Amino acid sequence: MNEQQLTAYIHENNIQKIKYAFADIDGILRGKIIHTKKFLDGLQSGYGFCDVVFGWDSADVCYDDVKVTGWHTGYPDKACHVDLSTFRTVPWQDNIPFFLGDFSDADGNGLAACPRSLLKRITKECADLGFYPEFAQEFEWFNFRETSQSLQDKHFANLQPLTPGMFGYSILRLSENSAFCDDLVSLLDKFNIPLEGFHTETGPGVYEAALMHTHVIEAADRAVLFKTAVKEIAYKHGIIANFMAKWNESLPGCGGHVHQSLWNKDQTDNLFYDANDVNKMSELHKQYLAGQLYCLPHILPMYAPTINSYKRLIEGAWAPTTITWSVENRTTAFRVVNSSKGYTRLETRIPGADTNPYLVMAAALASGLYGIKNKLKLDVPQTVGNGYQNKTNGTIQPNLYEAATDMQKSAIAKEILGADFVEHFTQTRLWEWRQFAKSVTDWELKRYFEII
């Protein structure tokens, strides 16, 4: 809808309120419900929104060392603009109109801390090179028969999974909770988040959903909305949905893999495909992959942004630990899928379900374009067999501190993502590390309380 059509729609349907939101640095949707008059008045000038949402962490605790906002600025309002192309209605909330937005100044320049603005900038670079980026993210997540209150009452311990047992790809488990599963698929589709596939994964109460592929910005919008939508639909069924990378050391982690390809501008030709190549990979595809392999150590916190992310990245747990690639090999960091021309793509397997989709896709696209712009050669040999054992090209950093410190110092990260973004983002990740480092964990109590 354009502005005129939207105004007519609002008046014709006697709509009194609008919901809008945007993603913060952690991918958490922050937003408001506003009166339609305020909404229509702000379509041109934007809506004032306190920029503390980029000055605090996921627990609403203010950062101590970021420049974009803080006590030194007084936490002012900044202009948040809605994107009319994101219009949809929320089917489980009486079809209230909903929009996504992002932060930019009067000249249209994105706020350095705004993830969607970052992705828009990198997508423009992609378009300027003549490419159409086709992306999709897939998510694994655990479900529990709990409520927000019971989580607090139980101190997040002894939680009841939605179903017992492992049951990967089980039709039985989908049938057992058919009302919830049916709601997920049908309501997400009505919310303009069509699923390409949906099934159980290995673990008690685990589901996996692959989102339909589309243009990278729409793909990231859908992925951000997907996580919140799943949580809200789950609430209606007395279920808590959990997107942590690894909630239990004895169970598999939850991935958030990103699938991507570049097409010509009219979307008629997959530029990653070459029928004459042994792996059906075009030179462009190889350059793109080479860029991701090269940039990975410089931008890892974009793919693994939390303390918990690195608990998933361990050997033999269906998540990569080495900087490797292969065709149809799920032990490597990058998996080439080449089953047909229309579906030839690259799967970046490092990201977990805890990621911010805007940042994941921005990192993947920016590093791939780096390889194309610099015509990098794919000189890392394809891994044959167990990718965990192939450490010849390096391993993934073991924790958030090392990854964020490396990114903070990286000239490559600043080149492809912008120095202001890198400064802000890495400060937030190092803050996360400091919060963890000073906490006393259950493991420490069990380990040392009596015996030491």
Side-chain angles (χ1 to χ4, degrees):
M1 288 188 179
N2 58 34
E3 185 176 339
Q4 183 178 4
Q5 292 169 324
L6 179 59
T7 302
Y9 173 85
I10 287 173
H11 291 316
E12 290 169 4
N13 291 276
N14 193 31
I15 293 170
Q16 300 299 314
K17 57 188 178 182
I18 302 286
K19 190 175 185 179
Y20 76 95
F22 57 88
D24 69 8
I25 203 71
D26 288 293
I28 298 168
L29 284 181
R30 310 279 187 171
K32 295 180 180 180
I33 294 175
I34 58 175
H35 194 279
T36 49
K37 183 181 185 306
K38 181 177 178 66
F39 175 78
L40 294 172
D41 289 347
L43 284 179
Q44 294 299 323
S45 59
Y47 311 93
F49 208 110
C50 180
D51 71 2
V52 71
V53 293
F54 291 115
W56 64 20
D57 62 16
S58 59
D60 295 0
V61 179
C62 293
Y63 299 126
D64 60 0
D65 193 19
V66 296
K67 293 181 180 179
V68 68
T69 191
W71 302 117
H72 61 288
T73 67
Y75 296 109
D77 278 359
K78 282 193 171 66
C80 174
H81 298 268
V82 300
D83 185 337
L84 297 187
S85 71
T86 66
F87 169 69
R88 62 232 309 140
T89 59
V90 186
W92 57 91
Q93 291 180 352
D94 298 323
N95 286 310
I96 183 173
F98 179 90
F99 296 86
L100 282 168
D102 48 58
F103 284 75
S104 55
D105 60 25
D107 299 321
N109 299 310
L111 183 70
C114 178
R116 193 171 191 268
S117 294
L118 173 68
L119 180 58
K120 286 167 66 176
R121 177 170 61 78
I122 293 170
T123 301
K124 183 180 182 304
E125 294 176 12
C126 184
D128 290 344
L129 290 171
F131 306 129
Y132 176 93
E134 186 86 359
F135 274 62
Q137 193 164 9
E138 60 181 72
F139 292 98
E140 300 160 344
W141 76 98
F142 280 80
N143 299 277
F144 298 88
R145 294 193 185 278
E146 302 288 347
T147 66
S148 299
Q149 188 61 52
S150 71
L151 290 178
Q152 297 292 329
D153 293 343
K154 292 182 174 183
H155 304 288
F156 299 90
N158 301 317
L159 306 179
Q160 182 184 355
L162 180 62
T163 54
M166 302 308 274
F167 286 80
Y169 296 106
S170 169
I171 298 299
L172 290 175
R173 287 298 188 240
L174 290 179
S175 300
E176 187 175 2
N177 294 282
S178 59
F180 177 43
C181 294
D182 290 347
D183 258 5
L184 281 175
V185 175
S186 62
L187 292 177
L188 286 169
D189 189 68
K190 291 177 182 177
F191 196 47
N192 194 25
I193 306 177
L195 302 184
E196 188 175 83
F198 175 69
H199 61 88
T200 62
E201 254 295 352
T202 298
V206 191
Y207 291 156
E208 177 175 344
L211 279 61
M212 196 75 74
H213 53 90
T214 184
H215 183 268
V216 64
I217 294 178
E218 173 65 19
D221 286 344
R222 290 178 182 179
V224 165
L225 291 172
F226 172 83
K227 292 169 72 173
T228 294
V230 167
K231 289 175 182 286
E232 292 184 354
I233 295 168
Y235 286 157
K236 297 177 72 66
H237 290 266
I239 293 168
I240 289 289
N242 172 275
F243 286 87
M244 287 179 65
K246 185 92 167 177
W247 86 273
N248 185 305
E249 67 174 293
S250 302
L251 296 171
C254 293
H257 309 157
V258 176
H259 296 254
Q260 63 233 257
S261 57
L262 297 182
W263 294 62
N264 61 345
K265 283 198 170 183
D266 62 5
Q267 305 167 50
T268 59
D269 189 19
N270 185 350
L271 302 179
F272 273 11
Y273 182 81
D274 182 353
N276 297 317
D277 180 77
V278 63
N279 291 318
K280 300 178 183 177
M281 297 173 66
S282 68
E283 188 60 30
L284 188 82
H285 192 174
K286 294 175 183 178
Q287 292 172 352
Y288 187 94
L289 172 55
Q292 291 215 1
L293 286 161
Y294 180 77
C295 293
L296 174 57
H298 300 271
I299 59 171
L300 179 61
M302 307 277 278
Y303 297 144
T306 72
I307 298 295
N308 184 251
S309 301
Y310 298 81
K311 307 293 176 68
R312 168 180 163 266
L313 300 173
I314 58 174
E315 291 189 9
W318 300 101
T321 58
T322 56
I323 305 175
T324 48
W325 76 277
S326 189
V327 176
E328 282 296 357
N329 187 330
R330 288 180 168 85
T331 68
T332 57
F334 301 98
R335 168 181 168 240
V336 173
V337 183
N338 62 357
S339 56
S340 67
K341 181 175 182 178
Y343 284 90
T344 292
R345 61 193 185 274
L346 178 66
E347 179 188 27
T348 301
R349 295 180 54 80
I350 304 97
D354 58 342
T355 50
N356 181 333
Y358 292 118
L359 298 188
V360 165
M361 296 189 197
L365 183 57
S367 56
L369 293 178
Y370 179 86
I372 292 171
K373 289 185 285 189
N374 291 280
K375 294 181 168 52
L376 296 187
K377 294 293 184 183
L378 185 55
D379 52 12
V380 176
Q382 179 182 178
T383 294
V384 177
N386 190 343
Y388 297 116
Q389 297 177 351
N390 183 3
K391 301 178 182 179
T392 56
N393 193 48
T395 58
I396 292 172
Q397 292 101 317
N399 58 59
L400 183 59
Y401 176 78
E402 291 187 35
T405 301
D406 286 351
M407 183 176 178
Q408 186 179 53
K409 298 175 181 177
S410 170
I412 295 295
K414 294 169 186 174
E415 177 183 345
I416 67 175
L417 300 170
D420 289 343
F421 169 79
V422 170
E423 178 186 26
H424 178 78
F425 179 67
T426 55
Q427 288 289 9
T428 69
R429 297 310 94 191
L430 292 171
W431 161 271
E432 195 78 5
W433 177 264
R434 292 195 298 275
Q435 304 318 294
F436 169 72
K438 69 183 184 182
S439 68
V440 178
T441 65
D442 289 345
W443 184 90
E444 291 168 278
L445 292 175
K446 293 175 183 177
R447 187 83 165 182
Y448 306 126
F449 193 95
E450 181 181 5
I451 195 68
I452 293 297

